[in-house]
Structure formats: structure tokens, C-alpha cells
Amino acid sequence: MSFSEMAALAFLLLMLYSFLGWCGEMVYCSLGQRKLCEKRGFLNGPICPIYGHGALLVLLVLDGGCENPAATFFFGALLTSAVEYFTSFVMEKLFHMRWWDYSEIRFNLNGRVCLRNSALFGAACVVLCHGLGPRMTALTVYLVEERNGTLMAGALFLLYGADVVLSVRSAVQIGSRLEKLHLIHEELAQKLERLGAEQQKAVEIQRARLEEALHSARLGVEERREEAIHAIQSRLEPLGSEFSHRLEAARAEAQQRMRAVCEKPDMFEQRLLSSFPSMRSLRHGEALEKLREYMENR
């Protein structure tokens, strides 16, 4: 078998196991929710590469599987959990997002992997190595050698590459959108703080004038007392109304800008947000919640 055929064989196996892993996750999540769940996975196509890479790693490291299925279960669970942990860590560093989190599940490691999923991965490795794997490899070898599978692999590679580019772009755009929402919120907070300080200063000036008027009254200038108090009160009432109007105007402007940011997600961004319902932003968690809330209300 030539190098190109070997590369095609490896890539087709990657795609095959990525597809089977995606199917398994869809079934598992749908059973847990008792309804058909949203499309799962980082990519737009019906594949989860993390399963494909995990399967190939297990087959390579365990040389097709251990003689004892129990050993295959243990080492398979260990290897696939390492793949999941590493993937979670890398994606978090790249996009500043925690794409999945098992913190609420017992026996988890930093929320990235958990014993329950590791056991399921181990069981899947037993099925892979002692049943499914040899058949899938034989089928893929047949496709490559007899059915020009190299062309098939090339076409799938182009689709896979385009999907990766689209999905990464969507993840970057979501991060940029959250950054904009965060900045709008920060600007609003600073503006409200500044307006509050201005209002407090204006009130203190009027209070000082009132105290001066009362002091003048105590010095015997009683006829000026009522006049000064009335004048100051007439200034305080519109002053409070003016600042209330400015505060509401600032909030309305910020809300309009936030809506403008939230109204632009394309179908790929929306799909990505739906595929990871437990995803959280490490930098702008509140902004992510606002984005999800807007999309749900819309």
C-alpha cells in the first residue's frame, strides 16, 4: 500500500469513528433528555473528531486491543479520557471558553473528565477492539484498494477542512461578540457612576445653599429664610428629574447597542451555542448569558 493510500486509510478511519462517535453522543444525549437533542459537536457536519482521534489512539497504542477485554477497558478508558482532558484544555486556551463541564457530576477531574463518561469510553473501546475495529479496518482497506477510496478521502478532507474553518470562525466571532457586549456593559457602568457622582455633587451644592439660608435665618434674617428654601427646593426637583432622564437615556442607548450586537449571529454561531448548552465564557460569563437569553427570547 502506497503512502497516499495509507494516509487515505487513516483519514477515512478517522472520519468513520468520528461519525460513529457523533451518532453515539446524539443517542446518549437524546435518551438523557427524553427527546431529540440539539445537534452535538464543535463542527457543523455529523462528526465529532474527538471520538475519531480517541479511537485511532486506542487502536495504535493498544495494537488493536489487549488480549484481556478488562485490560482493554481500563487502558482504553485511560487513553480516551486523556484525549478528552487534553481537548478541553486546548479549546479553553484557544477560545477562552469551557465547552463542557462535569463539575456537577461525581468523581470528575477539574470538570474536564468524569468517571461515568470514562467508563462509557472504556466499554466503547472493548466493542471497538474486540468486535467493530477489525471489520471497520477491513472495510476501509477494501474501499481504498478496490474502490478508489483515495479520491473519497480527498473529497472528505476538503469538506472537513472547510467545516473546521467555519467552526473556528464561528467560535472566534462569538468571543468577539461577547467582548463587545462586555465593553458596552462596562461603558454603561462607568457612565452611570459618573452621572451618579454629578448628581451627588449637585445635591450637595444645593444642600450647602440651604444650610447657608438656615444659618442666615438664625442670625436674624428671618424674612430671607422662606424665600431661600423655596428657591432651593424649586431647583432640586427638576435636578432629580434631569438626572433620572439622563440615566434612562444612557440605559436605553446601551440596550440598543446590545441588541444590535446580539441580532447579528449567523446560523453557524447559533448552531455552536445550541450544541454546547453548558458552555461558559471564562472572561465574559454575564455577556454569554445575555446573548443566550436574547436568542431564546427572539
Side-chain angles (χ1 to χ4, degrees), residues 84-95:
E84 184 178 32
Y85 192 99
F86 176 76
T87 303
S88 172
F89 179 82
V90 171
M91 291 183 68
E92 181 178 310
K93 293 302 179 183
L94 286 176
F95 304 109

Side-chain angles (χ1 to χ4, degrees), residues 216-230:
S216 299
R218 287 195 294 270
L219 293 178
V221 196
E222 186 68 29
E223 64 277 6
R224 295 178 54 192
R225 179 176 183 275
E226 295 297 330
E227 180 181 348
I229 293 175
H230 178 73

Side-chain angles (χ1 to χ4, degrees), residues 4 40 70 80 91 119 122 125 130 174 196 204 216 247 276:
S4 60
R40 309 293 294 182
T80 50
M91 291 183 68
C125 289
H130 297 278
I174 290 174
E204 288 177 356
S216 299
L247 288 172
F276 294 91

Side-chain angles (χ1 to χ4, degrees), residues 58-106:
V58 168
L59 291 172
L60 179 64
V61 173
L62 300 184
D63 194 21
C66 304
E67 293 185 4
N68 187 340
T72 301
F73 174 90
F74 176 78
F75 290 111
L78 192 63
L79 287 170
T80 50
S81 297
V83 171
E84 184 178 32
Y85 192 99
F86 176 76
T87 303
S88 172
F89 179 82
V90 171
M91 291 183 68
E92 181 178 310
K93 293 302 179 183
L94 286 176
F95 304 109
H96 309 290
M97 299 275 193
R98 176 63 72 91
W99 295 87
W100 60 86
D101 193 350
Y102 304 133
S103 297
E104 297 182 357
I105 301 177
R106 296 179 62 187

